[in-house]
mmCIF file of all heavy atoms in Angstrom:
data_model
loop_
_atom_site.group_PDB
_atom_site.id
_atom_site.type_symbol
_atom_site.label_atom_id
_atom_site.label_comp_id
_atom_site.label_asym_id
_atom_site.label_seq_id
_atom_site.Cartn_x
_atom_site.Cartn_y
_atom_site.Cartn_z
ATOM 1 N N PRO A 389 -37.978 19.987 -75.603
ATOM 2 C CA PRO A 389 -37.974 19.918 -74.081
ATOM 3 C C PRO A 389 -36.973 18.843 -73.598
ATOM 4 O O PRO A 389 -36.776 17.849 -74.307
ATOM 5 C CB PRO A 389 -39.403 19.439 -73.856
ATOM 6 C CG PRO A 389 -40.175 19.571 -75.075
ATOM 7 C CD PRO A 389 -39.223 19.568 -76.223
ATOM 8 N N PHE A 390 -36.313 19.130 -72.462
ATOM 9 C CA PHE A 390 -35.263 18.238 -72.041
ATOM 10 C C PHE A 390 -35.651 16.739 -71.886
ATOM 11 O O PHE A 390 -34.890 15.883 -72.265
ATOM 12 C CB PHE A 390 -34.608 18.749 -70.727
ATOM 13 C CG PHE A 390 -33.500 17.884 -70.223
ATOM 14 C CD1 PHE A 390 -32.257 17.927 -70.898
ATOM 15 C CD2 PHE A 390 -33.693 16.898 -69.271
ATOM 16 C CE1 PHE A 390 -31.243 17.123 -70.534
ATOM 17 C CE2 PHE A 390 -32.603 16.038 -68.927
ATOM 18 C CZ PHE A 390 -31.369 16.143 -69.530
ATOM 19 N N ARG A 391 -36.782 16.518 -71.306
ATOM 20 C CA ARG A 391 -37.285 15.113 -71.116
ATOM 21 C C ARG A 391 -37.290 14.350 -72.433
ATOM 22 O O ARG A 391 -36.856 13.204 -72.540
ATOM 23 C CB ARG A 391 -38.591 15.036 -70.377
ATOM 24 C CG ARG A 391 -38.525 15.120 -68.903
ATOM 25 C CD ARG A 391 -37.940 13.843 -68.326
ATOM 26 N NE ARG A 391 -37.126 14.075 -67.136
ATOM 27 C CZ ARG A 391 -35.862 13.798 -67.006
ATOM 28 N NH1 ARG A 391 -35.169 13.247 -67.952
ATOM 29 N NH2 ARG A 391 -35.210 14.085 -65.874
ATOM 30 N N GLU A 392 -37.810 15.050 -73.470
ATOM 31 C CA GLU A 392 -37.962 14.464 -74.795
ATOM 32 C C GLU A 392 -36.514 14.217 -75.348
ATOM 33 O O GLU A 392 -36.196 13.200 -75.927
ATOM 34 C CB GLU A 392 -38.768 15.417 -75.705
ATOM 35 C CG GLU A 392 -39.136 14.866 -77.011
ATOM 36 C CD GLU A 392 -39.843 15.883 -77.875
ATOM 37 O OE1 GLU A 392 -40.695 16.595 -77.287
ATOM 38 O OE2 GLU A 392 -39.623 15.968 -79.087
ATOM 39 N N ALA A 393 -35.671 15.215 -75.168
ATOM 40 C CA ALA A 393 -34.243 15.210 -75.615
ATOM 41 C C ALA A 393 -33.487 13.998 -74.970
ATOM 42 O O ALA A 393 -32.861 13.285 -75.647
ATOM 43 C CB ALA A 393 -33.549 16.464 -75.368
ATOM 44 N N HIS A 394 -33.676 13.893 -73.665
ATOM 45 C CA HIS A 394 -33.103 12.823 -72.888
ATOM 46 C C HIS A 394 -33.513 11.489 -73.437
ATOM 47 O O HIS A 394 -32.675 10.521 -73.663
ATOM 48 C CB HIS A 394 -33.487 12.972 -71.387
ATOM 49 C CG HIS A 394 -32.836 11.945 -70.492
ATOM 50 N ND1 HIS A 394 -33.249 10.650 -70.374
ATOM 51 C CD2 HIS A 394 -31.818 12.126 -69.625
ATOM 52 C CE1 HIS A 394 -32.533 10.043 -69.528
ATOM 53 N NE2 HIS A 394 -31.639 10.904 -68.981
ATOM 54 N N HIS A 395 -34.737 11.305 -73.746
ATOM 55 C CA HIS A 395 -35.342 10.096 -74.186
ATOM 56 C C HIS A 395 -34.711 9.760 -75.621
ATOM 57 O O HIS A 395 -34.328 8.619 -75.870
ATOM 58 C CB HIS A 395 -36.862 10.199 -74.279
ATOM 59 C CG HIS A 395 -37.479 8.864 -74.415
ATOM 60 N ND1 HIS A 395 -37.738 8.015 -73.304
ATOM 61 C CD2 HIS A 395 -37.947 8.168 -75.505
ATOM 62 C CE1 HIS A 395 -38.234 6.847 -73.786
ATOM 63 N NE2 HIS A 395 -38.383 6.953 -75.109
ATOM 64 N N ALA A 396 -34.668 10.736 -76.418
ATOM 65 C CA ALA A 396 -34.131 10.593 -77.779
ATOM 66 C C ALA A 396 -32.690 10.149 -77.761
ATOM 67 O O ALA A 396 -32.315 9.191 -78.455
ATOM 68 C CB ALA A 396 -34.278 11.895 -78.555
ATOM 69 N N VAL A 397 -31.896 10.836 -76.947
ATOM 70 C CA VAL A 397 -30.442 10.470 -76.831
ATOM 71 C C VAL A 397 -30.288 9.010 -76.363
ATOM 72 O O VAL A 397 -29.489 8.231 -76.822
ATOM 73 C CB VAL A 397 -29.615 11.486 -76.078
ATOM 74 C CG1 VAL A 397 -28.217 11.003 -75.885
ATOM 75 C CG2 VAL A 397 -29.716 12.860 -76.666
ATOM 76 N N GLY A 398 -31.161 8.725 -75.376
ATOM 77 C CA GLY A 398 -31.170 7.312 -74.825
ATOM 78 C C GLY A 398 -31.390 6.307 -75.958
ATOM 79 O O GLY A 398 -30.663 5.305 -76.048
ATOM 80 N N ALA A 399 -32.320 6.596 -76.849
ATOM 81 C CA ALA A 399 -32.595 5.729 -77.913
ATOM 82 C C ALA A 399 -31.384 5.670 -78.880
ATOM 83 O O ALA A 399 -31.046 4.562 -79.386
ATOM 84 C CB ALA A 399 -33.843 6.245 -78.675
ATOM 85 N N VAL A 400 -30.772 6.777 -79.103
ATOM 86 C CA VAL A 400 -29.558 6.803 -79.974
ATOM 87 C C VAL A 400 -28.434 5.908 -79.365
ATOM 88 O O VAL A 400 -27.783 5.151 -80.034
ATOM 89 C CB VAL A 400 -29.023 8.262 -80.159
ATOM 90 C CG1 VAL A 400 -27.674 8.251 -80.924
ATOM 91 C CG2 VAL A 400 -30.035 9.121 -80.908
ATOM 92 N N VAL A 401 -28.284 6.058 -78.040
ATOM 93 C CA VAL A 401 -27.275 5.243 -77.295
ATOM 94 C C VAL A 401 -27.560 3.739 -77.507
ATOM 95 O O VAL A 401 -26.690 2.922 -77.728
ATOM 96 C CB VAL A 401 -27.168 5.645 -75.826
ATOM 97 C CG1 VAL A 401 -26.391 4.602 -75.016
ATOM 98 C CG2 VAL A 401 -26.663 6.986 -75.646
ATOM 99 N N ARG A 402 -28.849 3.418 -77.384
ATOM 100 C CA ARG A 402 -29.281 2.026 -77.577
ATOM 101 C C ARG A 402 -28.920 1.498 -78.977
ATOM 102 O O ARG A 402 -28.369 0.390 -79.128
ATOM 103 C CB ARG A 402 -30.784 1.898 -77.293
ATOM 104 C CG ARG A 402 -31.191 0.442 -77.126
ATOM 105 C CD ARG A 402 -32.339 0.322 -76.059
ATOM 106 N NE ARG A 402 -33.292 1.469 -76.150
ATOM 107 C CZ ARG A 402 -34.377 1.541 -76.922
ATOM 108 N NH1 ARG A 402 -34.682 0.560 -77.762
ATOM 109 N NH2 ARG A 402 -35.107 2.594 -76.902
ATOM 110 N N ILE A 403 -29.153 2.350 -79.954
ATOM 111 C CA ILE A 403 -28.884 1.914 -81.290
ATOM 112 C C ILE A 403 -27.358 1.676 -81.504
ATOM 113 O O ILE A 403 -26.939 0.736 -82.094
ATOM 114 C CB ILE A 403 -29.344 3.002 -82.371
ATOM 115 C CG1 ILE A 403 -30.879 3.075 -82.320
ATOM 116 C CG2 ILE A 403 -28.874 2.630 -83.775
ATOM 117 C CD1 ILE A 403 -31.496 4.191 -83.116
ATOM 118 N N ALA A 404 -26.558 2.619 -80.930
ATOM 119 C CA ALA A 404 -25.090 2.515 -80.999
ATOM 120 C C ALA A 404 -24.692 1.209 -80.387
ATOM 121 O O ALA A 404 -23.734 0.495 -80.978
ATOM 122 C CB ALA A 404 -24.416 3.691 -80.385
ATOM 123 N N GLU A 405 -25.192 0.860 -79.268
ATOM 124 C CA GLU A 405 -24.875 -0.332 -78.599
ATOM 125 C C GLU A 405 -25.181 -1.566 -79.431
ATOM 126 O O GLU A 405 -24.454 -2.483 -79.537
ATOM 127 C CB GLU A 405 -25.515 -0.457 -77.213
ATOM 128 C CG GLU A 405 -24.649 0.172 -76.196
ATOM 129 C CD GLU A 405 -25.253 0.145 -74.794
ATOM 130 O OE1 GLU A 405 -26.352 -0.451 -74.599
ATOM 131 O OE2 GLU A 405 -24.709 0.787 -73.936
ATOM 132 N N LYS A 406 -26.370 -1.489 -80.065
ATOM 133 C CA LYS A 406 -26.902 -2.590 -80.879
ATOM 134 C C LYS A 406 -25.977 -2.764 -82.076
ATOM 135 O O LYS A 406 -25.605 -3.932 -82.444
ATOM 136 C CB LYS A 406 -28.320 -2.372 -81.363
ATOM 137 C CG LYS A 406 -29.090 -3.653 -81.319
ATOM 138 C CD LYS A 406 -30.605 -3.483 -81.558
ATOM 139 C CE LYS A 406 -30.933 -3.568 -83.021
ATOM 140 N NZ LYS A 406 -32.245 -2.995 -83.350
ATOM 141 N N LEU A 407 -25.584 -1.716 -82.662
ATOM 142 C CA LEU A 407 -24.747 -1.811 -83.938
ATOM 143 C C LEU A 407 -23.266 -1.930 -83.546
ATOM 144 O O LEU A 407 -22.406 -1.979 -84.429
ATOM 145 C CB LEU A 407 -24.959 -0.528 -84.812
ATOM 146 C CG LEU A 407 -26.349 -0.280 -85.249
ATOM 147 C CD1 LEU A 407 -26.439 1.043 -86.050
ATOM 148 C CD2 LEU A 407 -26.897 -1.418 -86.139
ATOM 149 N N THR A 408 -22.975 -1.922 -82.230
ATOM 150 C CA THR A 408 -21.550 -1.932 -81.752
ATOM 151 C C THR A 408 -20.688 -0.917 -82.389
ATOM 152 O O THR A 408 -19.588 -1.236 -82.911
ATOM 153 C CB THR A 408 -20.954 -3.369 -81.724
ATOM 154 O OG1 THR A 408 -20.889 -3.886 -83.085
ATOM 155 C CG2 THR A 408 -21.585 -4.363 -80.824
ATOM 156 N N VAL A 409 -21.201 0.273 -82.499
ATOM 157 C CA VAL A 409 -20.373 1.347 -83.020
ATOM 158 C C VAL A 409 -20.296 2.401 -81.869
ATOM 159 O O VAL A 409 -21.198 2.461 -81.061
ATOM 160 C CB VAL A 409 -20.831 2.026 -84.257
ATOM 161 C CG1 VAL A 409 -20.728 1.052 -85.482
ATOM 162 C CG2 VAL A 409 -22.231 2.621 -84.152
ATOM 163 N N LYS A 410 -19.258 3.243 -81.949
ATOM 164 C CA LYS A 410 -19.183 4.300 -80.943
ATOM 165 C C LYS A 410 -20.253 5.318 -81.206
ATOM 166 O O LYS A 410 -20.632 5.573 -82.441
ATOM 167 C CB LYS A 410 -17.831 5.005 -80.977
ATOM 168 C CG LYS A 410 -16.770 4.061 -80.398
ATOM 169 C CD LYS A 410 -15.539 4.883 -80.036
ATOM 170 C CE LYS A 410 -14.637 4.101 -79.136
ATOM 171 N NZ LYS A 410 -13.300 4.650 -79.078
ATOM 172 N N LEU A 411 -20.781 5.917 -80.202
ATOM 173 C CA LEU A 411 -21.860 6.888 -80.292
ATOM 174 C C LEU A 411 -21.641 7.968 -81.457
ATOM 175 O O LEU A 411 -22.513 8.152 -82.227
ATOM 176 C CB LEU A 411 -22.058 7.517 -78.907
ATOM 177 C CG LEU A 411 -23.226 8.441 -78.680
ATOM 178 C CD1 LEU A 411 -24.554 7.649 -78.941
ATOM 179 C CD2 LEU A 411 -23.256 8.965 -77.248
ATOM 180 N N ASN A 412 -20.438 8.428 -81.442
ATOM 181 C CA ASN A 412 -20.170 9.517 -82.433
ATOM 182 C C ASN A 412 -19.925 9.002 -83.835
ATOM 183 O O ASN A 412 -19.810 9.727 -84.794
ATOM 184 C CB ASN A 412 -18.952 10.373 -81.995
ATOM 185 C CG ASN A 412 -17.748 9.484 -81.763
ATOM 186 O OD1 ASN A 412 -17.845 8.273 -81.544
ATOM 187 N ND2 ASN A 412 -16.569 10.078 -81.858
ATOM 188 N N ASN A 413 -19.911 7.677 -83.967
ATOM 189 C CA ASN A 413 -19.694 7.074 -85.320
ATOM 190 C C ASN A 413 -20.991 6.620 -86.017
ATOM 191 O O ASN A 413 -20.939 6.051 -87.128
ATOM 192 C CB ASN A 413 -18.720 5.903 -85.216
ATOM 193 C CG ASN A 413 -17.279 6.389 -85.045
ATOM 194 O OD1 ASN A 413 -16.987 7.557 -85.240
ATOM 195 N ND2 ASN A 413 -16.441 5.462 -84.558
ATOM 196 N N LEU A 414 -22.109 6.865 -85.343
ATOM 197 C CA LEU A 414 -23.340 6.478 -85.917
ATOM 198 C C LEU A 414 -23.633 7.272 -87.239
ATOM 199 O O LEU A 414 -23.281 8.475 -87.304
ATOM 200 C CB LEU A 414 -24.505 6.726 -84.934
ATOM 201 C CG LEU A 414 -24.787 5.666 -83.925
ATOM 202 C CD1 LEU A 414 -25.810 6.200 -82.913
ATOM 203 C CD2 LEU A 414 -25.342 4.383 -84.567
ATOM 204 N N PRO A 415 -24.193 6.657 -88.234
ATOM 205 C CA PRO A 415 -24.527 7.406 -89.447
ATOM 206 C C PRO A 415 -25.598 8.415 -89.089
ATOM 207 O O PRO A 415 -26.499 8.199 -88.247
ATOM 208 C CB PRO A 415 -25.121 6.354 -90.380
ATOM 209 C CG PRO A 415 -24.811 4.978 -89.774
ATOM 210 C CD PRO A 415 -24.527 5.222 -88.335
#
Side-chain angles (χ1 to χ4, degrees):
F390 181 75
R391 273 291 146 240
E392 190 182 320
H394 183 283
H395 196 81
V397 176
V400 174
V401 168
R402 192 148 34 90
I403 295 173
E405 269 179 9
K406 217 171 95 198
L407 300 178
T408 59
V409 294
K410 286 200 166 164
L411 189 56
N412 55 337
N413 287 342
L414 275 173

